[in-house]
Amino acid sequence: MTDFPGAPDPKAPRKGPLRVLAAMSGGVDSAVAAARAAEAGHEVTGVHLALSANPQSFRTGARGCCTIEDSRDARRAADVIGIPFYVWDLAERFREDVVEDFIAEYQAGRTPNPCLRCNEKIKFAALLDKALALGFDAVCTGHYATVVLKDDGTRELHRASDMAKDQSYVLGVLDERQLAHAMFPLGDTLTTKEEIRAEAERRGLAVAKKPDSHDICFIADGDTQGFLASRLGRADGDIVDESGTKLGTHEGAFGYTIGQRKGLRIGHPAPDGKPRYVLDISPVNNTVTVGPVEALDVSALTAIKPRWCGTAPTGPGTYTAQLRAHGGETPVTAELVDGELRVSFAEPVRGVAPGQAIVLYDETRVVGSATIASTERTRTGAAPR
Protein backbone atom coordinates (compact mmCIF):
# COMPACT_ATOMS: atom_id res chain seq x y z
CA MET A 1 0.00 0.00 0.00
CA THR A 2 1.14 3.56 -0.58
CA ASP A 3 1.19 5.70 2.51
CA PHE A 4 2.11 9.11 3.78
CA PRO A 5 4.83 8.67 6.40
CA GLY A 6 4.30 9.13 10.10
CA ALA A 7 3.94 6.17 12.38
CA PRO A 8 6.77 3.59 12.27
CA ASP A 9 4.25 0.86 13.07
CA PRO A 10 1.29 0.78 10.62
CA LYS A 11 -0.72 -1.25 13.15
CA ALA A 12 -0.54 1.62 15.62
CA PRO A 13 -1.05 4.68 13.41
CA ARG A 14 -0.42 8.16 14.65
CA LYS A 15 -3.55 9.97 15.80
CA GLY A 16 -4.28 13.27 14.13
CA PRO A 17 -2.67 14.98 11.16
CA LEU A 18 1.04 14.92 10.40
CA ARG A 19 3.22 17.99 10.64
CA VAL A 20 4.57 18.30 7.11
CA LEU A 21 7.30 20.57 5.79
CA ALA A 22 6.67 21.13 2.07
CA ALA A 23 9.77 22.06 0.06
CA MET A 24 8.47 24.62 -2.45
CA SER A 25 10.85 25.40 -5.31
CA GLY A 26 8.53 27.90 -6.93
CA GLY A 27 7.46 25.44 -9.60
CA VAL A 28 4.12 23.84 -10.36
CA ASP A 29 4.93 20.32 -9.10
CA SER A 30 5.99 21.32 -5.59
CA ALA A 31 3.05 23.73 -5.31
CA VAL A 32 0.50 21.04 -6.23
CA ALA A 33 2.22 18.55 -3.91
CA ALA A 34 1.94 21.00 -0.99
CA ALA A 35 -1.70 21.68 -1.84
CA ARG A 36 -2.53 17.97 -1.93
CA ALA A 37 -0.81 17.40 1.42
CA ALA A 38 -2.81 20.25 2.97
CA GLU A 39 -6.03 19.01 1.38
CA ALA A 40 -5.39 15.58 2.91
CA GLY A 41 -5.66 17.21 6.34
CA HIS A 42 -2.01 17.49 7.31
CA GLU A 43 -0.54 20.53 9.05
CA VAL A 44 1.60 21.82 6.21
CA THR A 45 4.26 24.52 6.32
CA GLY A 46 5.90 25.68 3.12
CA VAL A 47 9.61 26.39 2.90
CA HIS A 48 11.70 27.70 0.01
CA LEU A 49 15.39 26.86 0.09
CA ALA A 50 17.66 29.81 -0.66
CA LEU A 51 20.54 27.97 -2.31
CA SER A 52 22.39 30.90 -3.86
CA ALA A 53 24.27 33.49 -1.82
CA ASN A 54 23.50 36.00 -4.58
CA PRO A 55 20.23 34.91 -6.25
CA GLN A 56 19.62 38.32 -7.82
CA SER A 57 22.56 37.62 -10.14
CA PHE A 58 20.58 34.85 -11.83
CA ARG A 59 19.01 35.93 -15.09
CA THR A 60 15.33 36.82 -15.29
CA GLY A 61 13.37 33.78 -16.37
CA ALA A 62 16.11 31.30 -15.46
CA ARG A 63 14.70 27.82 -15.73
CA GLY A 64 16.25 26.63 -12.50
CA CYS A 65 14.82 26.77 -8.99
CA CYS A 66 16.96 29.25 -7.07
CA THR A 67 16.05 32.72 -8.30
CA ILE A 68 14.36 35.58 -6.51
CA GLU A 69 11.42 35.00 -8.86
CA ASP A 70 11.15 31.38 -7.70
CA SER A 71 11.08 32.43 -4.05
CA ARG A 72 8.27 34.89 -4.75
CA ASP A 73 6.33 32.31 -6.78
CA ALA A 74 6.61 29.83 -3.90
CA ARG A 75 5.39 32.44 -1.40
CA ARG A 76 2.38 33.33 -3.55
CA ALA A 77 1.50 29.64 -3.92
CA ALA A 78 1.69 29.13 -0.14
CA ASP A 79 -0.60 32.13 0.36
CA VAL A 80 -3.18 30.66 -2.01
CA ILE A 81 -2.99 27.23 -0.32
CA GLY A 82 -3.31 28.96 3.04
CA ILE A 83 -0.21 27.59 4.74
CA PRO A 84 2.64 29.31 6.62
CA PHE A 85 5.72 29.99 4.54
CA TYR A 86 9.39 30.56 5.28
CA VAL A 87 12.66 30.92 3.37
CA TRP A 88 15.57 28.90 4.76
CA ASP A 89 19.11 29.89 3.88
CA LEU A 90 21.07 26.76 2.92
CA ALA A 91 23.36 28.55 0.48
CA GLU A 92 26.59 27.72 2.29
CA ARG A 93 25.69 24.05 2.69
CA PHE A 94 24.62 23.92 -0.98
CA ARG A 95 27.88 25.54 -2.10
CA GLU A 96 29.98 23.04 -0.16
CA ASP A 97 28.02 19.85 -0.85
CA VAL A 98 26.76 20.42 -4.38
CA VAL A 99 28.56 23.22 -6.24
CA GLU A 100 32.09 22.48 -5.02
CA ASP A 101 31.51 18.76 -5.48
CA PHE A 102 30.34 19.44 -9.06
CA ILE A 103 33.50 21.44 -9.85
CA ALA A 104 35.82 18.89 -8.21
CA GLU A 105 34.25 15.99 -10.10
CA TYR A 106 34.68 17.65 -13.48
CA GLN A 107 38.24 18.64 -12.56
CA ALA A 108 38.95 14.95 -11.89
CA GLY A 109 37.56 13.94 -15.30
CA ARG A 110 34.25 12.64 -13.98
CA THR A 111 30.65 13.57 -14.85
CA PRO A 112 28.55 14.31 -11.74
CA ASN A 113 24.79 14.63 -11.32
CA PRO A 114 24.17 17.73 -9.16
CA CYS A 115 20.41 17.13 -8.84
CA LEU A 116 21.02 13.72 -7.30
CA ARG A 117 23.63 15.20 -4.96
CA CYS A 118 21.20 17.97 -3.97
CA ASN A 119 18.53 15.42 -3.06
CA GLU A 120 21.04 13.45 -1.00
CA LYS A 121 22.83 16.29 0.77
CA ILE A 122 20.29 19.12 0.89
CA LYS A 123 16.65 18.09 0.57
CA PHE A 124 16.87 14.79 2.44
CA ALA A 125 19.81 15.44 4.75
CA ALA A 126 20.14 19.09 5.74
CA LEU A 127 16.45 19.91 5.22
CA LEU A 128 15.09 16.70 6.72
CA ASP A 129 17.38 16.86 9.74
CA LYS A 130 16.31 20.43 10.43
CA ALA A 131 12.65 19.53 9.91
CA LEU A 132 12.80 16.63 12.37
CA ALA A 133 14.63 18.79 14.91
CA LEU A 134 11.75 21.28 14.69
CA GLY A 135 9.15 18.56 15.27
CA PHE A 136 7.96 17.93 11.73
CA ASP A 137 7.02 14.37 10.78
CA ALA A 138 7.75 14.47 7.06
CA VAL A 139 9.25 16.43 4.19
CA CYS A 140 6.99 16.76 1.16
CA THR A 141 8.35 17.40 -2.36
CA GLY A 142 6.97 17.46 -5.88
CA HIS A 143 9.05 14.50 -7.07
CA TYR A 144 7.32 11.83 -9.13
CA ALA A 145 8.04 8.66 -7.14
CA THR A 146 6.13 6.45 -4.72
CA VAL A 147 6.80 5.31 -1.16
CA VAL A 148 5.22 1.92 -0.43
CA LEU A 149 4.50 0.87 3.15
CA LYS A 150 5.06 -2.85 3.80
CA ASP A 151 3.21 -5.01 6.30
CA ASP A 152 6.27 -5.13 8.55
CA GLY A 153 6.35 -1.33 8.81
CA THR A 154 9.30 -0.80 6.48
CA ARG A 155 9.05 1.40 3.41
CA GLU A 156 10.24 0.97 -0.15
CA LEU A 157 10.86 3.50 -2.88
CA HIS A 158 9.15 2.68 -6.19
CA ARG A 159 8.88 4.31 -9.57
CA ALA A 160 6.04 6.76 -10.17
CA SER A 161 2.84 5.35 -11.58
CA ASP A 162 3.49 7.35 -14.75
CA MET A 163 6.86 6.24 -16.15
CA ALA A 164 7.00 9.27 -18.41
CA LYS A 165 7.42 11.50 -15.35
CA ASP A 166 9.26 9.11 -13.05
CA GLN A 167 12.05 10.75 -11.00
CA SER A 168 13.07 7.81 -8.82
CA TYR A 169 16.56 7.84 -10.37
CA VAL A 170 17.53 11.07 -8.59
CA LEU A 171 16.02 9.73 -5.34
CA GLY A 172 17.99 6.48 -5.38
CA VAL A 173 20.34 7.93 -2.74
CA LEU A 174 17.65 7.91 -0.03
CA ASP A 175 18.04 5.40 2.78
CA GLU A 176 15.26 3.70 4.75
CA ARG A 177 15.29 6.33 7.51
CA GLN A 178 14.85 9.13 5.00
CA LEU A 179 12.09 7.25 3.19
CA ALA A 180 10.23 6.96 6.50
CA HIS A 181 9.89 10.75 6.47
CA ALA A 182 9.46 11.38 2.74
CA MET A 183 6.14 12.34 1.16
CA PHE A 184 5.61 12.38 -2.62
CA PRO A 185 1.94 13.26 -3.23
CA LEU A 186 2.33 13.26 -7.04
CA GLY A 187 3.94 9.85 -7.37
CA ASP A 188 0.93 7.57 -7.50
CA THR A 189 -1.28 9.62 -9.79
CA LEU A 190 -1.69 8.62 -13.41
CA THR A 191 -1.96 12.14 -14.73
CA THR A 192 -0.14 13.98 -17.48
CA LYS A 193 1.86 17.10 -16.77
CA GLU A 194 -0.88 19.10 -18.47
CA GLU A 195 -3.38 17.67 -15.99
CA ILE A 196 -1.12 18.72 -13.13
CA ARG A 197 -1.02 22.20 -14.60
CA ALA A 198 -4.81 22.16 -14.97
CA GLU A 199 -5.11 21.14 -11.31
CA ALA A 200 -2.83 24.02 -10.32
CA GLU A 201 -5.01 26.39 -12.32
CA ARG A 202 -8.17 25.08 -10.63
CA ARG A 203 -6.52 25.68 -7.28
CA GLY A 204 -5.70 29.25 -8.30
CA LEU A 205 -1.94 28.73 -8.32
CA ALA A 206 -0.23 31.25 -10.58
CA VAL A 207 2.60 28.80 -11.34
CA ALA A 208 0.24 26.65 -13.42
CA LYS A 209 1.83 27.80 -16.68
CA LYS A 210 5.39 28.23 -15.41
CA PRO A 211 7.96 26.30 -17.53
CA ASP A 212 9.64 23.27 -15.98
CA SER A 213 13.18 23.72 -14.69
CA HIS A 214 15.84 22.10 -16.87
CA ASP A 215 18.99 24.09 -16.23
CA ILE A 216 21.54 23.23 -13.58
CA CYS A 217 20.14 25.71 -11.09
CA PHE A 218 23.47 27.29 -10.16
CA ILE A 219 24.51 27.81 -13.79
CA ALA A 220 22.09 30.55 -14.73
CA ASP A 221 22.93 30.86 -18.43
CA GLY A 222 23.21 27.11 -19.06
CA ASP A 223 26.88 27.41 -20.13
CA THR A 224 28.44 24.59 -18.10
CA GLN A 225 31.81 24.85 -19.86
CA GLY A 226 31.98 28.58 -19.25
CA PHE A 227 31.04 28.10 -15.59
CA LEU A 228 33.78 25.53 -15.09
CA ALA A 229 36.35 27.61 -16.96
CA SER A 230 35.64 30.59 -14.70
CA ARG A 231 36.33 28.42 -11.64
CA LEU A 232 39.13 26.21 -12.91
CA GLY A 233 40.84 28.49 -15.41
CA ARG A 234 41.90 27.80 -18.97
CA ALA A 235 44.09 24.72 -19.33
CA ASP A 236 45.15 24.02 -22.92
CA GLY A 237 45.69 20.37 -23.82
CA ASP A 238 45.63 17.86 -26.65
CA ILE A 239 42.81 15.96 -28.28
CA VAL A 240 44.18 12.61 -29.48
CA ASP A 241 42.92 9.44 -31.12
CA GLU A 242 43.24 5.96 -29.65
CA SER A 243 46.79 5.61 -30.99
CA GLY A 244 47.85 8.84 -29.30
CA THR A 245 48.02 10.89 -32.52
CA LYS A 246 47.23 14.54 -31.89
CA LEU A 247 44.08 15.69 -33.69
CA GLY A 248 43.49 19.08 -32.11
CA THR A 249 43.59 21.08 -28.91
CA HIS A 250 41.15 22.06 -26.19
CA GLU A 251 40.99 24.76 -23.53
CA GLY A 252 40.25 22.45 -20.62
CA ALA A 253 39.50 18.73 -20.38
CA PHE A 254 36.79 19.59 -17.83
CA GLY A 255 34.69 20.88 -20.73
CA TYR A 256 34.14 17.36 -22.08
CA THR A 257 32.24 14.30 -21.03
CA ILE A 258 32.46 10.69 -22.18
CA GLY A 259 30.16 10.01 -25.12
CA GLN A 260 30.21 13.64 -26.28
CA ARG A 261 30.09 14.10 -30.05
CA LYS A 262 29.54 17.80 -30.69
CA GLY A 263 31.95 20.62 -30.01
CA LEU A 264 35.16 18.59 -30.41
CA ARG A 265 36.67 21.14 -32.82
CA ILE A 266 39.03 18.60 -34.36
CA GLY A 267 38.87 20.29 -37.74
CA HIS A 268 39.14 17.27 -40.04
CA PRO A 269 37.19 14.01 -40.43
CA ALA A 270 38.30 10.56 -39.36
CA PRO A 271 39.83 8.32 -42.08
CA ASP A 272 36.59 6.33 -42.30
CA GLY A 273 34.49 9.51 -42.44
CA LYS A 274 32.49 8.55 -39.35
CA PRO A 275 31.90 10.82 -36.36
CA ARG A 276 34.19 10.63 -33.34
CA TYR A 277 33.19 10.65 -29.71
CA VAL A 278 34.95 11.39 -26.45
CA LEU A 279 36.26 8.06 -25.13
CA ASP A 280 38.44 9.17 -22.25
CA ILE A 281 39.30 12.27 -20.21
CA SER A 282 42.66 12.27 -18.47
CA PRO A 283 43.09 15.10 -15.95
CA VAL A 284 46.64 13.91 -15.21
CA ASN A 285 48.00 14.92 -18.62
CA ASN A 286 44.99 17.10 -19.59
CA THR A 287 44.26 14.93 -22.63
CA VAL A 288 40.95 14.12 -24.28
CA THR A 289 40.85 10.87 -26.30
CA VAL A 290 38.33 10.46 -29.10
CA GLY A 291 37.35 7.54 -31.30
CA PRO A 292 34.51 5.68 -33.04
CA VAL A 293 31.17 5.14 -31.35
CA GLU A 294 31.66 1.39 -30.98
CA ALA A 295 34.62 2.06 -28.69
CA LEU A 296 32.13 3.42 -26.15
CA ASP A 297 30.55 0.00 -25.59
CA VAL A 298 30.80 -1.00 -21.92
CA SER A 299 30.27 -4.54 -20.64
CA ALA A 300 30.83 -4.02 -16.91
CA LEU A 301 31.54 -1.36 -14.31
CA THR A 302 32.58 -0.86 -10.72
CA ALA A 303 30.70 1.63 -8.58
CA ILE A 304 31.53 3.05 -5.15
CA LYS A 305 29.69 4.68 -2.23
CA PRO A 306 26.59 2.47 -2.51
CA ARG A 307 23.42 3.68 -0.79
CA TRP A 308 20.52 1.30 -0.27
CA CYS A 309 16.81 2.12 -0.12
CA GLY A 310 16.40 -0.51 2.60
CA THR A 311 18.48 -3.55 3.47
CA ALA A 312 21.63 -4.02 1.38
CA PRO A 313 21.37 -7.03 -0.97
CA THR A 314 23.59 -10.05 -0.32
CA GLY A 315 25.25 -12.15 -3.03
CA PRO A 316 24.88 -11.66 -6.78
CA GLY A 317 21.47 -10.61 -8.03
CA THR A 318 19.69 -9.85 -11.29
CA TYR A 319 18.27 -6.35 -11.66
CA THR A 320 17.62 -3.64 -14.18
CA ALA A 321 19.80 -0.53 -14.08
CA GLN A 322 19.28 3.09 -15.03
CA LEU A 323 22.41 5.10 -15.84
CA ARG A 324 21.08 8.63 -16.35
CA ALA A 325 18.08 10.64 -15.22
CA HIS A 326 16.17 10.30 -18.48
CA GLY A 327 17.65 7.01 -19.66
CA GLY A 328 16.05 3.63 -20.10
CA GLU A 329 16.58 0.41 -18.14
CA THR A 330 19.05 -2.31 -19.00
CA PRO A 331 19.34 -5.84 -17.48
CA VAL A 332 22.36 -6.36 -15.23
CA THR A 333 23.89 -8.73 -12.72
CA ALA A 334 25.22 -6.93 -9.66
CA GLU A 335 27.04 -7.92 -6.48
CA LEU A 336 28.51 -6.03 -3.54
CA VAL A 337 32.19 -7.01 -3.16
CA ASP A 338 34.35 -5.45 -0.45
CA GLY A 339 32.10 -2.43 -0.29
CA GLU A 340 32.09 -1.88 -4.07
CA LEU A 341 29.27 -2.65 -6.48
CA ARG A 342 30.37 -4.88 -9.39
CA VAL A 343 27.93 -4.73 -12.29
CA SER A 344 27.84 -6.76 -15.53
CA PHE A 345 25.54 -5.81 -18.40
CA ALA A 346 23.53 -8.39 -20.32
CA GLU A 347 24.15 -6.31 -23.45
CA PRO A 348 26.80 -3.61 -23.96
CA VAL A 349 25.77 -0.04 -23.16
CA ARG A 350 27.27 3.23 -24.39
CA GLY A 351 28.17 6.60 -22.97
CA VAL A 352 28.79 5.44 -19.41
CA ALA A 353 30.95 7.97 -17.57
CA PRO A 354 32.67 7.77 -14.19
CA GLY A 355 30.95 10.09 -11.75
CA GLN A 356 27.47 9.24 -12.97
CA ALA A 357 25.09 7.31 -10.73
CA ILE A 358 23.88 3.79 -11.44
CA VAL A 359 20.51 3.01 -9.86
CA LEU A 360 19.37 -0.60 -9.50
CA TYR A 361 15.73 -1.66 -9.74
CA ASP A 362 13.82 -4.82 -8.88
CA GLU A 363 10.84 -4.32 -11.19
CA THR A 364 9.51 -0.93 -9.97
CA ARG A 365 11.32 -0.99 -6.61
CA VAL A 366 14.46 1.09 -6.21
CA VAL A 367 17.11 -1.17 -4.67
CA GLY A 368 19.79 1.49 -4.31
CA SER A 369 22.40 3.53 -6.10
CA ALA A 370 26.17 3.94 -6.35
CA THR A 371 28.66 6.24 -8.09
CA ILE A 372 30.39 4.80 -11.17
CA ALA A 373 34.15 4.64 -10.58
CA SER A 374 35.41 2.69 -13.61
CA THR A 375 34.15 0.80 -16.65
CA GLU A 376 35.25 -2.12 -18.81
CA ARG A 377 35.05 -1.64 -22.56
CA THR A 378 34.06 -4.46 -24.88
CA ARG A 379 36.25 -3.54 -27.84
CA THR A 380 39.68 -5.12 -27.92
CA GLY A 381 42.32 -2.51 -27.22
CA ALA A 382 39.90 0.00 -25.72
CA ALA A 383 41.26 1.09 -22.38
CA PRO A 384 39.06 0.65 -19.32
CA ARG A 385 37.86 3.89 -17.83
Side-chain angles (χ1 to χ4, degrees), residues 159-177:
R159 289 193 181 277
S161 298
D162 186 348
M163 279 290 293
K165 298 194 299 294
D166 176 64
Q167 293 175 306
S168 61
Y169 174 85
V170 295
L171 297 171
V173 291
L174 303 187
D175 59 28
E176 190 171 0
R177 169 186 169 273

Side-chain angles (χ1 to χ4, degrees), residues 101-102 104-106 108-117 120 169 173 257-258 281 301-305 323-324 351-358 369-375 385:
D101 173 81
F102 178 85
E105 287 294 284
Y106 266 103
R110 297 185 288 266
T111 305
N113 185 314
C115 293
L116 189 146
R117 190 68 62 236
E120 175 188 359
Y169 174 85
V173 291
T257 186
I258 289 177
I281 303 161
L301 62 80
T302 298
I304 58 175
K305 301 177 183 178
L323 297 165
R324 52 187 62 86
V352 183
Q356 292 175 326
I358 178 171
S369 71
T371 302
I372 298 170
S374 62
T375 62
R385 180 70 176 93

Side-chain angles (χ1 to χ4, degrees), residues 185-272:
L186 305 187
D188 61 354
T189 54
L190 283 169
T191 54
T192 66
K193 189 56 178 280
E194 290 310 308
E195 289 172 315
I196 292 291
R197 293 189 182 282
E199 179 180 339
E201 193 161 11
R202 290 195 303 272
R203 294 180 181 274
L205 300 172
V207 293
K209 293 183 172 61
K210 186 174 181 179
D212 291 338
S213 58
H214 293 294
D215 295 341
I216 296 174
C217 68
F218 53 87
I219 303 179
D221 59 4
D223 181 7
T224 300
Q225 188 166 356
F227 172 85
L228 292 169
S230 69
R231 270 69 177 176
L232 299 174
R234 176 171 169 161
D236 294 342
D238 294 337
I239 299 176
V240 302
D241 63 17
E242 292 175 279
S243 69
T245 302
K246 181 177 175 179
L247 303 177
T249 60
H250 61 77
E251 297 178 353
F254 52 76
Y256 298 83
T257 186
I258 289 177
Q260 179 178 334
R261 173 184 173 184
K262 296 182 179 180
L264 300 184
R265 298 185 299 175
I266 295 172
H268 53 85
D272 60 7

Side-chain angles (χ1 to χ4, degrees), residues 51-73:
L51 302 180
S52 172
N54 188 27
Q56 63 268 26
S57 67
F58 285 23
R59 77 183 191 277
T60 298
R63 298 178 71 185
C65 56
C66 308
T67 68
I68 290 291
E69 294 172 21
D70 294 317
S71 175
R72 292 169 180 164
D73 288 342

Side-chain angles (χ1 to χ4, degrees), residues 254-337:
F254 52 76
Y256 298 83
T257 186
I258 289 177
Q260 179 178 334
R261 173 184 173 184
K262 296 182 179 180
L264 300 184
R265 298 185 299 175
I266 295 172
H268 53 85
D272 60 7
K274 295 181 180 179
R276 282 170 289 197
Y277 298 76
V278 174
L279 304 181
D280 185 54
I281 303 161
S282 175
V284 175
N285 57 14
N286 196 28
T287 298
V288 175
T289 302
V290 299
V293 67
E294 57 267 21
L296 288 170
D297 287 350
V298 167
S299 60
L301 62 80
T302 298
I304 58 175
K305 301 177 183 178
R307 291 178 62 88
W308 307 107
C309 299
T311 304
T314 57
T318 301
Y319 309 95
T320 57
Q322 188 170 330
L323 297 165
R324 52 187 62 86
H326 304 291
E329 293 181 84
T330 184
V332 300
T333 300
E335 182 178 10
L336 195 62
V337 180

Side-chain angles (χ1 to χ4, degrees), residues 20-22 24 43-47 74-75 78-79 81-86 136:
V20 175
L21 188 69
M24 302 182 70
E43 297 176 4
V44 180
T45 297
V47 62
R75 183 179 296 278
D79 288 345
I81 298 167
I83 59 175
F85 178 83
Y86 300 92
F136 287 94

